[in-house]
Protein backbone atom coordinates (compact mmCIF):
# COMPACT_ATOMS: atom_id res chain seq x y z
CA UNK A 1 0.00 0.00 0.00
CA UNK A 2 1.41 3.37 -0.92
CA UNK A 3 1.34 6.47 1.25
CA UNK A 4 -1.43 7.94 -0.91
CA UNK A 5 -3.67 4.95 -0.34
CA UNK A 6 -2.92 4.97 3.40
CA UNK A 7 -5.00 8.12 3.88
CA UNK A 8 -8.12 6.52 2.39
CA UNK A 9 -7.92 3.09 4.02
CA UNK A 10 -8.45 2.83 7.75
CA UNK A 11 -5.95 0.53 9.44
CA UNK A 12 -6.04 -0.57 13.08
CA UNK A 13 -3.54 -2.22 15.38
CA UNK A 14 -3.63 -3.82 18.80
CA UNK A 15 -1.15 -2.52 21.37
CA UNK A 16 -0.60 -4.93 24.27
CA UNK A 17 1.18 -5.37 27.55
CA UNK A 18 1.57 -9.14 27.24
CA UNK A 19 2.23 -10.25 30.84
CA UNK A 20 -0.56 -8.05 32.20
CA UNK A 21 -2.97 -9.26 29.49
CA UNK A 22 -4.09 -5.72 28.63
CA UNK A 23 -4.63 -4.34 25.13
CA UNK A 24 -6.00 -1.32 23.36
CA UNK A 25 -6.86 -0.59 19.74
CA UNK A 26 -5.28 2.25 17.78
CA UNK A 27 -6.04 3.74 14.39
CA UNK A 28 -3.08 4.51 12.14
CA UNK A 29 -2.93 8.16 11.04
CA UNK A 30 -2.13 7.44 7.41
CA UNK A 31 -3.36 10.86 6.31
CA UNK A 32 -0.90 12.66 8.62
CA UNK A 33 2.09 10.31 8.74
CA UNK A 34 1.81 8.10 5.63
CA UNK A 35 5.48 7.10 5.37
CA UNK A 36 5.74 6.14 9.04
CA UNK A 37 2.39 4.30 9.00
CA UNK A 38 3.38 2.28 5.94
CA UNK A 39 6.75 1.38 7.49
CA UNK A 40 5.17 0.26 10.77
CA UNK A 41 2.27 -1.59 9.10
CA UNK A 42 4.60 -3.50 6.78
CA UNK A 43 6.86 -4.53 9.69
CA UNK A 44 4.16 -5.73 12.12
CA UNK A 45 4.22 -7.49 14.49
CA UNK A 46 6.76 -5.45 16.46
CA UNK A 47 7.62 -5.25 20.14
CA UNK A 48 10.04 -5.94 22.91
CA UNK A 49 10.85 -5.26 26.52
CA UNK A 50 8.74 -2.39 27.81
CA UNK A 51 10.19 0.66 29.52
CA UNK A 52 8.41 3.46 31.36
CA UNK A 53 9.72 6.93 30.50
CA UNK A 54 11.85 8.86 32.96
CA UNK A 55 11.73 12.23 31.21
CA UNK A 56 8.61 12.41 29.03
CA UNK A 57 6.34 11.44 31.93
CA UNK A 58 3.32 9.29 30.98
CA UNK A 59 4.90 7.12 28.31
CA UNK A 60 5.67 3.45 27.83
CA UNK A 61 7.81 2.24 24.95
CA UNK A 62 9.73 -0.60 23.35
CA UNK A 63 13.11 -0.24 21.64
CA UNK A 64 13.27 -2.24 18.42
CA UNK A 65 15.75 -2.68 15.58
CA UNK A 66 15.21 -0.41 12.58
CA UNK A 67 12.69 -1.90 10.17
CA UNK A 68 11.93 0.79 7.57
CA UNK A 69 13.77 0.69 4.24
CA UNK A 70 14.74 4.28 5.08
CA UNK A 71 14.03 6.11 8.35
CA UNK A 72 10.83 8.18 8.00
CA UNK A 73 11.06 11.96 7.86
CA UNK A 74 9.72 13.95 10.80
CA UNK A 75 6.09 13.94 9.62
CA UNK A 76 3.24 14.95 11.96
CA UNK A 77 5.75 15.92 14.69
CA UNK A 78 5.02 16.75 18.30
CA UNK A 79 6.85 17.60 21.50
CA UNK A 80 3.58 17.54 23.50
CA UNK A 81 1.92 14.15 22.91
CA UNK A 82 -1.59 13.67 24.25
CA UNK A 83 -3.21 10.58 25.79
CA UNK A 84 -3.55 7.85 23.19
CA UNK A 85 -0.80 9.09 20.87
CA UNK A 86 1.52 6.49 19.39
CA UNK A 87 4.90 8.03 18.58
CA UNK A 88 7.93 6.93 16.59
CA UNK A 89 11.45 8.05 17.49
CA UNK A 90 14.84 7.17 16.01
CA UNK A 91 17.98 7.29 18.15
CA UNK A 92 21.62 6.42 17.66
CA UNK A 93 23.44 4.07 20.02
CA UNK A 94 25.32 6.99 21.56
CA UNK A 95 22.11 8.95 22.26
CA UNK A 96 20.89 6.09 24.46
CA UNK A 97 24.32 5.16 25.78
CA UNK A 98 24.64 7.30 28.91
CA UNK A 99 23.97 5.69 32.26
CA UNK A 100 21.43 8.40 33.11
CA UNK A 101 18.83 6.57 30.99
CA UNK A 102 18.94 3.55 33.29
CA UNK A 103 19.32 0.86 30.61
CA UNK A 104 21.12 -2.22 31.80
CA UNK A 105 24.33 -3.22 30.05
CA UNK A 106 22.67 -6.29 28.53
CA UNK A 107 19.59 -4.43 27.23
CA UNK A 108 18.66 -5.83 23.82
CA UNK A 109 19.21 -2.50 22.03
CA UNK A 110 22.81 -2.13 23.22
CA UNK A 111 25.26 -2.24 20.33
CA UNK A 112 22.79 -1.25 17.62
CA UNK A 113 23.84 1.82 15.65
CA UNK A 114 20.17 2.82 15.17
CA UNK A 115 17.37 2.21 17.65
CA UNK A 116 13.67 2.75 16.95
CA UNK A 117 11.46 3.71 19.89
CA UNK A 118 7.75 2.89 19.53
CA UNK A 119 5.86 4.67 22.29
CA UNK A 120 2.36 4.92 23.76
CA UNK A 121 1.38 8.01 25.75
CA UNK A 122 -1.36 7.18 28.22
CA UNK A 123 -2.03 10.36 30.21
CA UNK A 124 -1.80 14.16 29.92
CA UNK A 125 1.02 16.64 30.56
CA UNK A 126 3.84 15.10 28.52
CA UNK A 127 6.76 17.17 27.28
CA UNK A 128 9.43 15.69 25.04
CA UNK A 129 12.51 17.36 26.43
CA UNK A 130 15.64 15.57 27.53
CA UNK A 131 18.31 16.97 29.81
CA UNK A 132 21.11 15.62 27.61
CA UNK A 133 19.68 16.40 24.17
CA UNK A 134 17.03 19.11 24.49
CA UNK A 135 13.81 18.83 22.49
CA UNK A 136 13.06 15.34 21.17
CA UNK A 137 10.22 15.59 18.64
CA UNK A 138 8.39 12.39 17.79
CA UNK A 139 6.23 11.33 14.86
CA UNK A 140 2.59 10.81 15.83
CA UNK A 141 1.56 7.84 13.69
CA UNK A 142 -1.42 6.40 15.58
CA UNK A 143 -4.15 7.21 18.05
CA UNK A 144 -5.83 4.88 20.54
CA UNK A 145 -9.54 4.60 19.78
CA UNK A 146 -10.56 1.91 22.29
CA UNK A 147 -9.24 0.67 25.63
CA UNK A 148 -7.05 3.59 26.68
CA UNK A 149 -8.56 3.58 30.18
CA UNK A 150 -7.57 -0.07 30.76
CA UNK A 151 -4.13 0.51 29.24
CA UNK A 152 -3.56 3.63 31.37
CA UNK A 153 -4.35 1.63 34.53
CA UNK A 154 -1.87 -1.05 33.44
CA UNK A 155 0.75 1.62 32.68
CA UNK A 156 0.34 3.07 36.18
CA UNK A 157 0.79 -0.43 37.59
CA UNK A 158 3.90 -0.83 35.43
CA UNK A 159 5.26 2.44 36.88
CA UNK A 160 4.62 1.30 40.48
CA UNK A 161 5.28 -2.45 40.26
CA UNK A 162 8.04 -2.44 37.63
CA UNK A 163 8.54 -3.37 34.02
CA UNK A 164 10.84 -6.39 34.33
CA UNK A 165 9.49 -9.34 32.41
CA UNK A 166 6.83 -7.27 30.60
CA UNK A 167 6.59 -6.83 26.81
CA UNK A 168 4.96 -4.12 24.73
CA UNK A 169 3.72 -5.40 21.37
CA UNK A 170 2.13 -3.87 18.27
CA UNK A 171 0.09 -6.15 15.96
CA UNK A 172 -2.43 -5.75 13.17
CA UNK A 173 -5.95 -5.78 14.59
Amino acid sequence: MSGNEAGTTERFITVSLEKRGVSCTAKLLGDRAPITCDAVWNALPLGGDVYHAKYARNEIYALVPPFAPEEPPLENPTITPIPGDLCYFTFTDTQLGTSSYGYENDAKHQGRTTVVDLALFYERNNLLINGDAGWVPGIVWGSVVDGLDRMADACQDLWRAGALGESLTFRRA
Side-chain angles (χ1 to χ4, degrees):
M1 176 176 291
S2 72
N4 292 339
E5 292 169 325
T8 58
T9 303
E10 290 189 344
R11 296 181 286 181
F12 296 88
I13 64 168
T14 301
V15 181
S16 303
L17 286 169
E18 297 295 328
K19 183 177 168 184
R20 285 170 171 78
V22 178
S23 297
C24 60
T25 303
K27 178 181 175 182
L28 272 63
L29 302 177
D31 57 334
R32 296 180 188 170
I35 297 168
T36 307
C37 288
D38 284 350
V40 171
W41 185 257
N42 292 333
L44 292 174
L46 292 164
D49 294 340
V50 69
Y51 293 93
H52 195 289
K54 290 174 75 174
Y55 300 105
R57 198 158 183 192
N58 300 301
E59 171 196 6
I60 61 168
Y61 60 97
L63 301 172
V64 300
F67 51 83
E70 185 175 302
E71 283 306 309
L74 190 58
E75 53 184 0
N76 198 31
T78 190
I79 57 166
T80 55
I82 62 172
D85 276 353
L86 298 181
C87 290
Y88 180 110
F89 304 89
T90 303
F91 297 104
T92 66
D93 57 347
T94 57
Q95 286 174 302
L96 298 181
T98 66
S99 61
S100 64
Y101 295 109
Y103 300 119
E104 61 277 10
N105 288 335
D106 61 347
K108 292 176 184 168
H109 72 276
Q110 298 292 5
R112 293 184 196 149
T113 56
T114 303
V115 179
V116 173
D117 172 332
L118 296 178
L120 164 68
F121 290 84
Y122 64 89
E123 188 51 77
R124 298 170 35 113
N125 300 320
N126 303 294
L127 185 61
L128 300 180
I129 190 167
N130 177 291
D132 297 331
W135 298 110
V136 183
I139 300 168
V140 182
W141 59 274
S143 180
V144 174
V145 294
D146 182 56
L148 183 59
D149 53 345
R150 294 184 307 273
M151 185 60 82
D153 288 345
C155 291
Q156 283 293 333
D157 180 66
L158 187 114
W159 174 251
R160 292 188 311 270
L164 286 179
E166 182 63 88
S167 302
L168 177 63
T169 60
F170 301 81
R171 292 184 169 79
R172 292 182 184 189

